[in-house]
Amino acid sequence: MSLSGETVFRAIEVPLFWLGVLTAAWLSVCSVYRLLSGFRVWVLGNGSLVSPNKLGKWADRRWPWE
């Protein structure tokens, strides 16, 4: 019994869709977590440790071409 390409595609279409949905959701959750962690350190935590004065001259520049 051989399977045609369309039959194989139909068999894996739904699992691949849900794999993509879960991957996108996981990446979104990780990104939001990292953004919130950075916000917490910058605003709520000890933001002076990551200020431009502590990081060096490169962190004080606004644009790369300045």
Side-chain angles (χ1 to χ4, degrees), residues 2-3 6-7 10 15 19 29 39 43 45 54 57 59 63:
S2 67
L3 296 174
E6 186 176 342
T7 306
R10 293 285 178 202
L19 179 64
V29 167
F39 181 77
V43 174
K54 298 283 185 181
K57 188 175 180 178
W63 305 102

Side-chain angles (χ1 to χ4, degrees), residues 25-65:
W26 177 253
L27 291 174
S28 297
V29 167
C30 289
S31 298
V32 167
Y33 174 75
R34 297 208 51 167
L35 284 171
L36 290 176
S37 293
F39 181 77
R40 180 179 55 88
V41 167
W42 190 270
V43 174
L44 302 175
N46 195 356
S48 63
L49 292 176
V50 289
S51 69
N53 293 335
K54 298 283 185 181
L55 292 176
K57 188 175 180 178
W58 67 269
D60 196 24
R61 295 189 320 192
R62 302 248 185 246
W63 305 102
W65 52 83

